[in-house]
């Protein structure tokens, strides 16, 4: 079994910054893609950013230039640096990981979510 634990959410004023972390643990052989999704009240969950094991990244248009995704493969940890936050960024942020388990099964896991609230 694999667990993803997020941290770093909170309340921040518009223009401020937060850094989210996602630590993966358990029966992990390797992690292919790590991603961050978010879901605001009344809206569908959407992809914010993703990063492959080789470091290739993909961002939603709404966060390009403000958010940076990174990862530490040795620690099985992913990060989302969020700068110049806007009230529209308010949502629950979820970590997602495509894991190759120790048994060599490819499984996608989700974290429990962390609340990010941006006040105007």
């Amino acid at each position: 079994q694999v667990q993803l634990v997020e941290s770093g959410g909170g309340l921040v004023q518009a223009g401020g910054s937060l850094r989210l972390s996602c630590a993966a643990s358990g029966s992990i052989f390797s992690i292919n893609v790590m991603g961050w999704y978010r879901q605001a009240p009344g809206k569908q969950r959407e992809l914010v950013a993703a990063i492959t094991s080789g470091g290739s990244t993909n961002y939603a248009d709404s966060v390009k230039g403000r958010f940076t995704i990174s990862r530490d493969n040795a620690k099985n940890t992913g990060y989302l640096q969020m700068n110049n936050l806007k009230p529209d960024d308010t949502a629950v942020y979820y970590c997602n990981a495509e894991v190759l388990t120790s048994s060599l099964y490819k499984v996608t896991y989700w974290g429990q979510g962390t609340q990010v609230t941006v006040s105007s």
Side-chain angles (χ1 to χ4, degrees):
Q1 188 68 5
V2 173
Q3 297 81 37
L4 301 182
V5 178
E6 299 128 335
S7 60
L11 173 64
V12 64
Q13 288 187 332
S17 298
L18 284 174
R19 189 192 194 208
L20 305 183
S21 298
C22 173
S25 63
S27 302
I28 299 170
F29 180 81
S30 65
I31 300 175
N32 182 20
V33 181
M34 295 190 81
W36 291 93
Y37 289 71
R38 67 187 181 187
Q39 187 166 19
K43 295 187 177 181
Q44 289 190 329
R45 190 173 297 189
E46 62 175 359
L47 174 67
V48 176
I51 184 169
T52 68
S53 56
S56 296
T57 59
N58 181 42
Y59 294 93
D61 288 342
S62 60
V63 306
K64 283 180 180 177
R66 300 187 298 122
F67 290 11
T68 302
I69 190 171
S70 61
R71 61 189 285 176
D72 185 331
N73 291 329
K75 295 182 179 180
N76 287 331
T77 300
Y79 306 96
L80 184 68
Q81 177 67 43
M82 305 185 293
N83 298 329
N84 190 21
L85 282 159
K86 304 175 180 180
D88 284 348
D89 295 319
T90 295
V92 178
Y93 283 70
Y94 296 91
C95 175
N96 168 284
E98 184 183 280
V99 175
L100 187 62
T101 68
S102 300
S103 302
L104 301 183
Y105 290 104
K106 187 179 291 185
V107 183
T108 297
Y109 291 92
W110 290 90
Q112 79 285 358
T114 185
Q115 178 69 47
V116 171
T117 303
V118 184
S119 64
S120 57

